[in-house]
């Protein structure tokens, strides 16, 4: 007889060879794990790829956050604990991690606070602080009152450049916002973004890190990526033209190439020291493609 885990797990998929190095992929706010579809086939050739959904997104029920009454809430550390619980349930100790936006924030927090678990890190259109908390608090209140509709209407201008917003790939992701995102889950994740500020802890990240920015990203502008690169010791910075917030969807080929190169250059070589000193100057590469 099997028993459910003591802690609820986020919905997830596993692709690739069972014995390959594990790679966890985190999604952005408002998107499901399908946001990684452009990169999945290539990444799964040589990695055990584990994708997961945020609470109230895709296949993850809002109940993973526990009983918080009519307005559940969460934090980035709380989301990170869900990810560690998922990794533990799959027998994964150390893993490479790549995340988009909020999914990237989860990986950055894990790299800063659980460096022994993170073999390498990739942050796609993410940030150490996602703007003023009041903006996220207002968005959470709007979604709790009016539902996901107003957010879905505005998503295209944040996620994609005008030239890409009408593409089949963009349309599919935008349509999925209404179908697969629960207002309570979206609002709870807004709460997490409102409270998130990792700027003082960036020097604690010792994992080799790739930071990718979309030069046309209005949600996490290139300055956010440069702040991450300035604070992390072992880092490469890639800035992509012709890309807004979901750069891996709009510019899938250069993002995939950067990820494959990063993962190949930094295989898991075992546990790392947890002591962290002052960051060294980083060898950032500002490469617009």
């Amino acid at each position: 007889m099997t028993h459910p885990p003591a802690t609820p797990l986020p919905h997830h998929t596993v692709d690739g060879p069972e014995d390959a190095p594990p790679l966890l992929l985190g999604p952005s706010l408002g998107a499901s794990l399908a946001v990684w579809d452009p990169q999945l086939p290539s990444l799964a050739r040589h990695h055990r790829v584990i994708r997961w959904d945020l609470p109230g997104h895709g296949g993850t029920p809002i109940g993973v956050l526990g009983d918080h009454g009519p307005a559940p809430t969460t934090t980035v550390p709380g989301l990170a604990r869900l990810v560690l619980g998922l990794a533990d349930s799959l027998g994964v100790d150390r893993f490479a991690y790549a995340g988009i936006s909020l999914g990237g924030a989860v990986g950055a927090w894990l790299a800063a606070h659980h460096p022994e678990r993170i073999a390498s890190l990739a942050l796609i259109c993410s940030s150490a602080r996602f703007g003023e908390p009041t903006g996220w608090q207002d968005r959470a209140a709007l979604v709790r009152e009016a539902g996901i509709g107003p957010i879905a209407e505005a998503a295209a201008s944040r996620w994609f450049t005008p030239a890409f917003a009408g593409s089949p790939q963009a349309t599919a992701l935008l349509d999925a916002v209404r179908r697969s995102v629960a207002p309570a889950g979206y609002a709870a994740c807004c709460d997490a973004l409102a409270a998130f500020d990792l700027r003082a802890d960036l020097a604690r990240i010792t994992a080799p890190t790739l930071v990718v920015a979309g030069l046309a990203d209005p949600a996490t502008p290139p300055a956010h990526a440069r702040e991450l690169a300035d604070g992390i010791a072992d880092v490469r910075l890639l800035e992509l033209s012709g890309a807004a917030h979901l750069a891996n969807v709009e510019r899938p080929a250069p993002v995939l190439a950067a990820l494959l190169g990063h993962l190949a250059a930094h295989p898991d070589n075992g546990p790392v020291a947890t002591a962290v000193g002052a960051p060294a100057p980083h060898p950032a590469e500002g490469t617009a493609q």
Side-chain angles (χ1 to χ4, degrees):
M1 179 178 180
T2 60
H3 299 277
T7 301
L9 297 176
H11 171 253
H12 60 280
T13 61
V14 182
D15 296 274
E18 182 72 20
D19 59 350
L23 167 63
L24 269 70
L25 300 179
S28 62
L29 175 69
S32 74
L33 54 77
V35 74
W36 283 106
D37 282 354
Q39 286 76 39
L40 178 64
S42 293
L43 291 175
R45 289 194 186 104
H46 301 291
H47 292 83
R48 183 187 181 196
V49 180
I50 302 160
R51 297 182 293 169
W52 58 279
D53 278 329
L54 291 161
H57 291 61
T60 299
I62 192 66
V64 297
L65 298 179
D67 184 10
H68 291 284
T73 189
T74 190
T75 62
V76 169
L79 295 173
R81 284 190 286 272
L82 288 176
V83 170
L84 289 182
L86 172 60
D88 291 344
S89 75
L90 296 172
V92 174
D93 183 24
R94 265 171 67 81
F95 48 89
Y97 185 98
I100 307 162
S101 193
L102 174 56
V106 171
W109 190 91
L110 284 170
H113 294 275
H114 294 277
E116 74 284 357
R117 303 296 298 266
I118 304 299
S120 67
L121 177 66
L123 306 175
I124 315 296
C125 298
S126 195
S127 183
R129 181 176 182 265
F130 291 81
E132 293 297 326
T134 53
W136 294 106
Q137 293 160 355
D138 291 345
R139 193 187 296 191
L142 172 64
V143 171
R144 287 177 173 126
E145 179 179 348
I148 206 70
I151 296 302
E153 290 295 330
S157 62
R158 292 192 302 272
W159 284 1
F160 307 114
T161 64
F164 190 80
S167 68
Q169 301 94 322
T171 299
L173 286 171
L174 292 166
D175 288 347
V177 176
R178 291 183 177 86
R179 294 196 316 269
S180 65
V181 180
Y186 189 97
C189 290
C190 287
D191 293 336
L193 288 165
F196 182 69
D197 188 346
L198 199 67
R199 290 175 295 179
D201 290 333
L202 290 177
R204 298 175 57 144
I205 297 177
T206 56
T209 301
L210 169 69
V211 176
V212 177
L215 288 175
D217 182 359
T220 52
H224 289 226
R226 293 166 194 153
E227 183 174 48
L228 288 168
D230 286 339
I232 300 172
D234 185 359
V235 70
R236 178 193 173 204
L237 172 62
L238 174 64
E239 297 180 334
L240 290 174
S241 61
H245 194 51
L246 295 188
N248 73 301
V249 177
E250 192 159 6
R251 298 292 312 278
V255 172
L256 174 62
L259 284 171
L260 290 174
H262 179 66
L263 292 165
H266 303 289
D268 185 3
N269 292 319
V272 297
T274 57
V276 178
H282 68 80
E285 297 182 16
T287 308
Q289 298 190 29

